[in-house]
Amino acid sequence: MKPTLGVCYYPEHWPEDMWAEDAKRMVATGLTWVRIGEFAWSRLEAKEGVFTWQWLDKAVEILGNAGLKVIMGTPSATPPRWVVDKYPDMLSVDIEGKTRKFGSRRHYCFSHLGFRAEAARMAAAMAKRYGNNPAIHAWQIDNEYGCHDTTLSYSKSALNGFRNWLAQKYQSPSALNHAWGNIFWSMEYDDFDQIELPNLTVTEANPSHWLDYRRFMSDQVVAFNKAQVQAMRPYAAQPFIHNYMGRITDFDHFTVGNDLEIASWDSYPMGFLEHVLSEETEEWKAHFSNQGDPDFQAFHHDLYRAVGHGRWWVMEQQPGPVNWAPYNPIPLDGMIKLWTMEAIAHGAEVVSYFRWRQAPFAQEQMHAGLLRPDSANAQGQIEALAVADELASLGDIEHEDSDVAIIFDYESQWAWEIQPQGQGFDYFRLVFEQYRALRHLGLNVDILPATANDFGARKLVLIPGLMAWNDNLRHAVDHFDGLVITGPRTGLKTKNMQIPPTLGPDFASTTISRVASLRPNVTIPLANGGNIIKWQEILEPNSSIIETTTDNIPVLVADGKRHYLSSWLDQEGYKRIFSDLCDQQKIETMDMPEGVRQRAIKGKKLIINYNPHDSELNGVSISAAGYLWQEVRCRN
Amino acid sequence: MKPTLGVCYYPEHWPEDMWAEDAKRMVATGLTWVRIGEFAWSRLEAKEGVFTWQWLDKAVEILGNAGLKVIMGTPSATPPRWVVDKYPDMLSVDIEGKTRKFGSRRHYCFSHLGFRAEAARMAAAMAKRYGNNPAIHAWQIDNEYGCHDTTLSYSKSALNGFRNWLAQKYQSPSALNHAWGNIFWSMEYDDFDQIELPNLTVTEANPSHWLDYRRFMSDQVVAFNKAQVQAMRPYAAQPFIHNYMGRITDFDHFTVGNDLEIASWDSYPMGFLEHVLSEETEEWKAHFSNQGDPDFQAFHHDLYRAVGHGRWWVMEQQPGPVNWAPYNPIPLDGMIKLWTMEAIAHGAEVVSYFRWRQAPFAQEQMHAGLLRPDSANAQGQIEALAVADELASLGDIEHEDSDVAIIFDYESQWAWEIQPQGQGFDYFRLVFEQYRALRHLGLNVDILPATANDFGARKLVLIPGLMAWNDNLRHAVDHFDGLVITGPRTGLKTKNMQIPPTLGPDFASTTISRVASLRPNVTIPLANGGNIIKWQEILEPNSSIIETTTDNIPVLVADGKRHYLSSWLDQEGYKRIFSDLCDQQKIETMDMPEGVRQRAIKGKKLIINYNPHDSELNGVSISAAGYLWQEVRCRN
Amino acid sequence: MKPTLGVCYYPEHWPEDMWAEDAKRMVATGLTWVRIGEFAWSRLEAKEGVFTWQWLDKAVEILGNAGLKVIMGTPSATPPRWVVDKYPDMLSVDIEGKTRKFGSRRHYCFSHLGFRAEAARMAAAMAKRYGNNPAIHAWQIDNEYGCHDTTLSYSKSALNGFRNWLAQKYQSPSALNHAWGNIFWSMEYDDFDQIELPNLTVTEANPSHWLDYRRFMSDQVVAFNKAQVQAMRPYAAQPFIHNYMGRITDFDHFTVGNDLEIASWDSYPMGFLEHVLSEETEEWKAHFSNQGDPDFQAFHHDLYRAVGHGRWWVMEQQPGPVNWAPYNPIPLDGMIKLWTMEAIAHGAEVVSYFRWRQAPFAQEQMHAGLLRPDSANAQGQIEALAVADELASLGDIEHEDSDVAIIFDYESQWAWEIQPQGQGFDYFRLVFEQYRALRHLGLNVDILPATANDFGARKLVLIPGLMAWNDNLRHAVDHFDGLVITGPRTGLKTKNMQIPPTLGPDFASTTISRVASLRPNVTIPLANGGNIIKWQEILEPNSSIIETTTDNIPVLVADGKRHYLSSWLDQEGYKRIFSDLCDQQKIETMDMPEGVRQRAIKGKKLIINYNPHDSELNGVSISAAGYLWQEVRCRN
């Protein structure tokens, strides 16, 4: 594969006489793709049914004529004012019951059937207009589902939809009462129409109630996306894409992805460091302040490779300082190149920068572009051009399956949000910290959904924190020759979010007898180094005890190659244990210096240095914010 | 008295064919009591007026036949859905005006007269059914009044009730205007129907307005409880009990208690450490993470002994990890025994564990029971059995009045919540920290209400932070031969929450000239050791000055045995001063090691070690999480 | 000028037979002025149109006869209950949409035209009654506009008013769409009635939308104030005053001030330290806990001297502990004198204490007065008396323009609140920290509005953080011989809050190429001492580079005497740079010890010591909480 670069562009923001020059400069920068259209509804259909295509026709023509491939976005993330006037109840409602007003973006509730149809109608109109246009090479549906906490809504339409969804699922109130255990506090229902959304209860609502609500809302995202795709398919043969956002876990990306050809995500390494990596220390954030977290991007690259069934892009790549994080410093020179190349090493087909020229107005006026508002080249353009040059000489990029995989399951995220049992027990963090330890060991990692029914030729699969087993995953495990590490907190619930009769984990011949959540200033040392933090399960193993605490409490047990890890460990603990088990599986590991990471593809590997200082790996120096490619005979 | 053990049980959660075996195992565990019924309304009256008693009849029969004494709970804490459909406005409303929805428990507003009648009707129906059943030995009314912040409600029914209550109390708006000082900001009313609830005002509402609102809401709890008791009395001769919750201070427990025969409380030492002891340091919480605070349980034991006029139980004893604190670790082995024995040493007639078997479903599925969800014995069962054995050989427990008493007054809690004058000035904490210092000195302490009119044969009485003097307490003090320590902030308000003409404290021949609240990083050293923290009053004493700051500002003054303490002190200050005054009163004290406490009863004393390590007291070693009984000739 | 003292008094709070004695004691304390009436509406007009003037007539008579000059307040800050019953929709609405209830004060929305007329009617009635009364020497309009976050309201009347205001300003929706850049996210409007208030949007609303809303609300305050002034002018010839509050920046004080003769403010040094100086460290707050911040009062004195066009008072001076800060300690003995004399050295005509006697009832019962509630002299009275004595012998106070001025602009405050771009970027703090550095250097400072069109004979003018240039200020700069320092973040926006085509700052021959906001634990060292904190701009200078970072990034550039400072600096950085530039301008500076400050007037200067310990300046010792006057030949 020959990866290419792109950029996001808003012709409606600029005078028409600038478009041709912009297109020319894009090509001169080495860009292949240009995304347009996704926020332009008010200019395409200013009044219901009255379309104004001419300006967009012209923009597509100019961009296409310049040799660029256009990704056309459907504009459902920004329904104009008249749509809200038509459907006043389409606005989403927050957890406190406050309606979220028009005036920014993403103001619709996914469950509103009227707006869903309106969005599909608009998407179909675009597909009819541009489906046969040779400049259009891909479609983006909507923009950043779930961003600004918009998956969950407590609107009237959500309530009605939830009741119907429950009626379909359970068929009778008594079946629902049983599945949820509503006898517990006399919470039994006689009628589906008695059921409320689970917000604003006196103390927490039934976790099964919450989990079904979360599944319902995720299903609405899936349905909303599918409605547009289905409306467009008859008119458009190009691939469909959605651009997901980092650490947005409120809907099942895998399921949405099943209706699309390509997955993409919007990669803002520095914005994410400050905005969503709340668990990191202030020192960590200061160290990586101008670079971003060294594993966060890689995690999402690997995740979306799975969501896209192998085909994935970075749709929006941070090109300089952004406007939306608590602090918005300037990337170190070189980081834009590094982020781009890192994505490519993880298999990105396209890396597209957001945005072409910084807009001097409205909400994102402080968000850098490749160009400054005065059209001068910004640092982003300089680095994009340099990367384009390098890519020309880099040769084919060929991704191979990794030896190591880790399961990521959105439903488990919801389950442990609903019932953390200890403050700070977050599923994403649990998976991410195991992933980080694997990266520290220099490993390539694949991420797989919990619906995987085959692990392929892999040698090691990790399944931390999985709420409940399912038949597919059981099958995959049962037919897998490699080593499996499950836990902590894997298999500890049924699908209805109850404790299974066996207590769990139904794996590795052990039983979870008790669990403890730990305060941040309490840790429990392992006998051989590292510590338990946050979460400890007490096991009753009928299997080999591989690791214990200094007090001889079992921590890692195994029945052959089936391991169960009882506790959340610190990085030292994870690295030591994973390293040992990799050794068993003949997976080569190395201890990477902090901030230095690597990613192997066929025939070579990329070594990157996220540090603000030069670093050394095996005697080779990598400059601050720099990277280098090394030939390798075979993957790690 | 021969203390006994019990357990909370939910037959409706388990198949009927498990009940007999459960009952048998309860008896084998040494349990005498079993509480049932308090959340089962939806199974007893699934539709209005349609009762289904058969299953409960059967459960009572099985438990009774096994030799267990049944405590039957009225189910008003969990009104089923049809009750809410009948009275949609019975839901409580939070301070921001949001209605608190059905879906968990305690969703009713205490002020709603329709629901109050409904709850009394249901209670009467239970009393009629089971009042003569020989297996029933006690009744529990409702469950944990005030839990989940449910005492205060800002509903329409609260508003109407409050206006009526004010009209009854003041008779005319002008009397109310005068009592509240409404002239201050032109807040005068012409009509009781102009008066709003005091939430959501622009800046704080009049403190007198708030205080009357708090009194009104407390009165609603009293009336709600009394309505059930009165409806049941004609049919049920057994004692009535309520199970209060730790550090819930929104209603007057003494007044509720006056309508009941026995007080009980729900003791969750580790849950409370993390959930309600917010003032303790992180280090303190880490040290006691698996044991609980060493004074919190004792304080409540002593409090409820007073609320129950000497008769009190622990209705729910933590049996292992719970689900509701920010962190939920596992108790150290031995702590369940320790907590049980400690309660008994404080005079508990019954200690009852919550719950028999961990429920695998719904909100509390992560809350341990004596049994695991798979019916295996959990650690709770093992320790309950061991305590039952010990109790059999312990002999009679005879409680005696303590030499030392401290006043606890709910109205003062409300007053200083309304007007802390310094962040973190909390009445409960003020009393608790003086109590803790007394316990550090090895003393037994009695807690008395502010309505006490006689201190008996006690030698030392503490009255910290009392908002306003009342005739009873004045009488008690005037007729008391012992030493009295009031202050800080005692007698500084009238009943209407105004500054008295004398300025206060109207005690010990001194006047409060000025007060200062101190930021946490400002302390003022005492001349002889210890520090003022949080709160300092400047006195104009016409009495002896006993203690001063290093700058010679009076801190403790006395007119004979009547002492006034001007300031909130740290533990060092309290201990030194209390120790000196105990010496004067010939009350023997000792300096207990941190985490070690003792409680004397007639003929013996219990020494307990809340530390996670062995400790020593007077040359005797007490193991970690352990205790021992010592013979004593007379109480200390 | 001969400065005088005053006090705030509430005759309606006390029996009429106390008034004469109170008046006599005021005079004996050396007080000249007494403010009354501003919260007494319910006693003046208990029902609509039914006035009760007699008691106030009597009070004025008694106070006047005692020789006191009366300031009469209009009572619009506390509309009585019947007014709210008449206009239920006059209540303000908070940002979450909750109506703010009656029961304290300031419960009106400035935009409500009905209440605005009602307030003007009442003010006119007072003017008619007392305009010719010889005891009345001044009027106060309302009380503390904006206190308790009352400038901004999201009511229906605000919404309607805002739509009209926008229609007047923009004339067409398309003009507004263009000015705001609404194309950005399809936020375009067809009709002014589609525009909502900018609260409760899904993510942030358009910053231009917010800024216009902020301007609209500020205009409502101006209009509300003007309505009263205009209604009163025909009947009252005395000067009109408003008493502003510390660090209230939600409306433009300069514009309100243009309709009044005198500015005043309410100076609560210790309250402000704890309540509004949130950026200071805990150590700083502990050090100044009993004194207040050493620059906060001076800043406001200098600010209100400008708002009052030279005529200004302290209307309320803290006389002891207050009730409303998080912690309310007691001022060090001497501080009340110090605060008073400091105000006088900054040019206050009158310093008036709040209040005469501590009220024993209602919200402020814990707020000290000059007298205690029992009428004994409190420390406030003792120090007021001492200051009055000193003033008698002090001679005339003559203020002169300072060499140094700094611009303060309310609109810039709103702009950077709307778009901080980095957490903690607060305009007030930016200006205040530059001001503090100047004070550290021993300088007198004048504060000027951004509408200044002439800097007079000054030698140095600072213009930090100005959102947008205006013609007046351009003119002032263009015609100024002195040295100008602008930046950081000066001139970086247009009036519509967009990035200017030049990128800014349009000053000192440099261009802002990029900006970075820094997290608190990241600082960037300057080459010659001091650090960049919070905010850094990357410049493209065509001018001299005066200062750089250690990495040679330009920090201070100059085109002749026109300097641009790119970054927010710490005190060390500011002091060093300002000191150097003062040297250039032959402005004498000195390095004042922390907590010691000075203020020069004609012929002498006041040296004050805010420290809780004695301090030394140039060999002269100033006692803790003390001050001294020194003769000077000419101002520094």
Side-chain angles (χ1 to χ4, degrees), chain A residues 84-122:
Chain A
V84 177
D85 290 342
K86 183 174 177 185
Y87 303 108
D89 61 348
M90 67 171 271
L91 296 171
S92 62
V93 173
D94 75 13
I95 194 167
E96 292 192 312
K98 298 193 297 289
T99 297
R100 305 178 77 177
K101 289 161 68 176
F102 181 86
S104 61
R105 63 176 181 176
R106 302 210 55 74
H107 35 281
Y108 66 87
C109 178
F110 280 104
S111 72
H112 193 276
L113 301 181
F115 177 64
R116 190 185 294 173
E118 202 74 44
R121 182 194 55 77
M122 181 63 189

XYZ file of all heavy atoms in Angstrom, chain A residues 84-122:
320
model
N -34.385 22.637 13.249
C -34.769 22.649 14.669
C -36.151 23.288 14.838
O -36.950 22.847 15.672
C -33.706 23.393 15.500
C -34.109 23.477 16.959
C -32.350 22.705 15.364
N -36.446 24.283 14.049
C -37.782 24.876 14.116
C -38.844 23.850 13.683
O -39.954 23.842 14.202
C -37.862 26.122 13.219
C -37.041 27.276 13.783
O -36.705 27.248 14.990
O -36.718 28.213 13.017
N -38.481 23.006 12.738
C -39.417 21.981 12.266
C -39.622 20.888 13.317
O -40.735 20.388 13.489
C -38.878 21.369 10.960
C -39.786 20.330 10.320
C -39.245 19.875 8.960
C -40.133 18.771 8.368
N -39.550 18.231 7.116
N -38.535 20.495 13.991
C -38.598 19.437 15.015
C -38.043 19.958 16.335
O -36.916 19.615 16.722
C -37.741 18.234 14.608
C -38.066 17.592 13.290
C -37.226 17.743 12.195
C -39.216 16.798 13.148
C -37.516 17.128 10.981
C -39.514 16.183 11.936
C -38.657 16.350 10.854
O -38.938 15.736 9.663
N -38.800 20.764 17.030
C -38.229 21.336 18.273
C -37.797 20.269 19.280
O -36.898 20.512 20.080
C -39.384 22.175 18.832
C -40.294 22.431 17.677
C -40.156 21.251 16.759
N -38.412 19.099 19.231
C -38.053 18.057 20.201
C -36.909 17.174 19.724
O -36.637 16.143 20.329
C -39.286 17.222 20.568
C -39.871 16.511 19.358
O -39.471 16.833 18.218
O -40.734 15.632 19.556
N -36.242 17.565 18.679
C -35.081 16.800 18.217
C -33.818 17.123 19.022
O -32.814 16.408 18.930
C -34.776 17.103 16.745
C -34.301 18.517 16.502
S -33.700 18.787 14.796
C -31.951 18.346 14.983
N -33.858 18.176 19.803
C -32.686 18.566 20.587
C -32.409 17.516 21.656
O -33.331 16.969 22.257
C -32.909 19.937 21.229
C -33.064 21.103 20.238
C -33.491 22.378 20.974
C -31.768 21.350 19.469
N -31.160 17.272 21.892
C -30.843 16.293 22.930
C -31.013 16.929 24.303
O -31.072 18.145 24.447
C -29.425 15.742 22.734
O -28.480 16.762 22.837
N -31.114 16.085 25.302
C -31.397 16.520 26.668
C -30.323 15.924 27.557
O -29.997 14.735 27.432
C -32.804 16.046 27.097
C -33.066 16.328 28.570
C -33.869 16.707 26.222
N -29.750 16.744 28.431
C -28.635 16.238 29.233
C -29.116 15.443 30.441
O -30.317 15.341 30.699
C -27.676 17.383 29.608
C -28.220 18.294 30.692
O -29.227 17.956 31.358
O -27.616 19.365 30.885
N -28.198 14.887 31.187
C -28.544 13.954 32.268
C -29.331 14.629 33.381
O -30.044 13.985 34.143
C -27.267 13.264 32.813
C -27.628 12.058 33.666
C -26.382 14.254 33.561
C -26.458 11.151 33.968
N -29.221 15.945 33.453
C -30.000 16.690 34.452
C -31.348 17.141 33.903
O -32.075 17.860 34.584
C -29.214 17.910 34.911
C -27.990 17.535 35.709
C -27.390 18.730 36.403
O -27.210 19.765 35.733
O -27.121 18.624 37.610
N -31.657 16.779 32.667
C -32.957 17.121 32.118
C -32.990 18.449 31.372
O -34.063 18.892 30.955
N -31.848 19.067 31.191
C -31.810 20.343 30.479
C -31.674 20.111 28.970
O -30.792 19.358 28.530
C -30.622 21.189 30.958
C -30.690 21.552 32.423
C -29.691 22.638 32.789
C -28.254 22.213 32.574
N -27.777 21.210 33.548
N -32.502 20.784 28.205
C -32.420 20.688 26.755
C -31.166 21.403 26.269
O -30.830 22.485 26.739
C -33.676 21.327 26.138
O -34.816 20.581 26.571
C -33.606 21.312 24.612
N -30.471 20.806 25.348
C -29.221 21.358 24.816
C -29.556 22.155 23.555
O -30.042 21.615 22.570
C -28.234 20.222 24.552
C -28.009 19.387 25.805
C -27.075 18.217 25.559
N -25.686 18.675 25.504
C -24.635 17.857 25.362
N -24.830 16.557 25.254
N -23.420 18.341 25.317
N -29.221 23.421 23.587
C -29.753 24.363 22.607
C -28.969 24.405 21.285
O -27.809 24.016 21.214
C -29.758 25.764 23.239
C -30.795 25.928 24.324
C -30.528 27.095 25.268
C -30.680 28.446 24.616
N -30.504 29.532 25.629
N -29.645 24.929 20.283
C -29.009 25.279 19.018
C -27.973 26.381 19.260
O -28.137 27.212 20.135
C -30.083 25.800 18.056
C -29.561 26.185 16.695
C -29.430 25.241 15.689
C -29.192 27.497 16.414
C -28.945 25.586 14.429
C -28.700 27.854 15.166
C -28.574 26.907 14.166
N -26.922 26.386 18.454
C -25.957 27.475 18.550
C -24.522 27.004 18.456
O -23.597 27.808 18.453
N -24.338 25.676 18.398
C -22.984 25.166 18.155
C -23.133 23.999 17.153
O -23.476 24.254 16.001
C -22.312 24.748 19.462
O -23.026 23.723 20.115
N -22.945 22.766 17.610
C -23.120 21.648 16.687
C -23.519 20.395 17.464
O -23.487 20.399 18.684
C -21.834 21.403 15.884
C -20.639 21.003 16.720
C -19.438 20.675 15.827
N -18.300 20.261 16.654
C -17.135 19.839 16.160
N -16.943 19.786 14.851
N -16.165 19.469 16.964
N -23.894 19.354 16.728
C -24.275 18.063 17.333
C -25.450 18.221 18.292
O -25.515 17.552 19.327
C -23.089 17.402 18.057
C -21.876 17.139 17.156
C -21.087 15.923 17.606
N -21.972 14.762 17.683
C -22.438 14.115 16.610
N -22.075 14.465 15.407
N -23.295 13.135 16.772
N -26.392 19.053 17.954
C -27.498 19.349 18.869
C -28.681 18.410 18.702
O -29.730 18.656 19.268
C -27.946 20.813 18.718
C -27.867 21.333 17.331
N -26.682 21.735 16.762
C -28.804 21.523 16.386
C -26.899 22.146 15.511
N -28.175 22.024 15.266
N -28.509 17.359 17.931
C -29.650 16.439 17.737
C -29.554 15.232 18.659
O -28.465 14.841 19.076
C -29.719 15.975 16.273
C -28.552 15.122 15.817
C -28.561 13.731 15.993
C -27.446 15.698 15.197
C -27.490 12.963 15.566
C -26.368 14.932 14.776
C -26.394 13.556 14.956
O -25.337 12.789 14.550
N -30.721 14.681 18.963
C -30.790 13.418 19.700
C -30.823 12.284 18.679
O -31.661 12.291 17.763
C -32.048 13.403 20.573
S -32.251 11.864 21.479
N -29.927 11.314 18.839
C -29.855 10.206 17.887
C -31.164 9.428 17.771
O -31.402 8.762 16.774
C -28.751 9.217 18.309
C -27.363 9.638 17.937
C -26.491 10.148 18.887
C -26.922 9.522 16.628
C -25.197 10.529 18.541
C -25.621 9.896 16.275
C -24.749 10.406 17.233
N -31.963 9.500 18.811
C -33.174 8.671 18.833
C -34.350 9.318 18.108
O -35.398 8.702 17.967
C -33.578 8.414 20.288
O -34.095 9.611 20.854
N -34.208 10.563 17.662
C -35.356 11.276 17.088
C -35.594 10.801 15.655
O -34.800 11.092 14.752
C -35.112 12.787 17.126
C -36.348 13.569 16.849
N -36.783 13.847 15.587
C -37.263 14.113 17.693
C -37.910 14.551 15.645
N -38.227 14.716 16.913
N -36.696 10.130 15.432
C -36.924 9.499 14.135
C -37.172 10.531 13.044
O -36.804 10.312 11.883
C -38.089 8.511 14.241
C -37.864 7.395 15.270
C -39.053 6.441 15.291
C -36.565 6.632 14.977
N -37.785 11.644 13.410
C -38.020 12.703 12.424
C -36.707 13.258 11.912
O -36.497 13.378 10.692
N -35.822 13.573 12.808
C -34.544 14.110 12.350
C -33.711 13.039 11.644
O -32.988 13.325 10.693
C -33.730 14.733 13.490
C -32.401 15.203 12.994
C -32.326 16.231 12.054
C -31.219 14.592 13.382
C -31.100 16.643 11.533
C -29.994 14.994 12.863
C -29.941 16.029 11.944
N -33.831 11.828 12.116
C -33.080 10.760 11.450
C -33.477 10.676 9.971
O -32.608 10.552 9.097
C -33.336 9.424 12.163
C -32.421 8.303 11.709
C -32.779 6.977 12.346
N -32.558 6.985 13.792
C -32.917 5.996 14.600
N -33.526 4.910 14.110
N -32.698 6.085 15.897
N -34.770 10.777 9.714
C -35.258 10.735 8.334
C -34.785 11.970 7.561
O -34.413 11.891 6.380
C -36.784 10.661 8.334
N -34.787 13.105 8.234
C -34.351 14.352 7.593
C -32.877 14.245 7.194
O -32.477 14.666 6.101
C -34.542 15.486 8.609
C -34.666 16.869 8.043
C -36.019 17.103 7.399
O -37.051 16.703 7.996
O -36.048 17.668 6.297
N -32.085 13.704 8.081
C -30.649 13.560 7.797
C -30.431 12.588 6.642
O -29.573 12.816 5.772
C -29.918 13.082 9.058
N -31.204 11.532 6.619
C -31.077 10.549 5.532
C -31.525 11.174 4.205
O -30.909 10.938 3.156
C -31.900 9.300 5.845
N -32.573 11.968 4.251
C -33.047 12.663 3.047
C -31.947 13.563 2.496
O -31.660 13.578 1.295
C -34.287 13.487 3.394
C -34.909 14.230 2.199
C -35.918 15.290 2.645
N -35.377 16.253 3.584
C -34.584 17.272 3.263
N -34.235 17.475 2.010
N -34.138 18.085 4.194
N -31.309 14.311 3.369
C -30.250 15.222 2.934
C -29.064 14.432 2.377
O -28.471 14.804 1.350
C -29.810 16.103 4.109
C -28.723 17.102 3.763
S -29.303 18.310 2.514
C -27.755 19.145 2.107
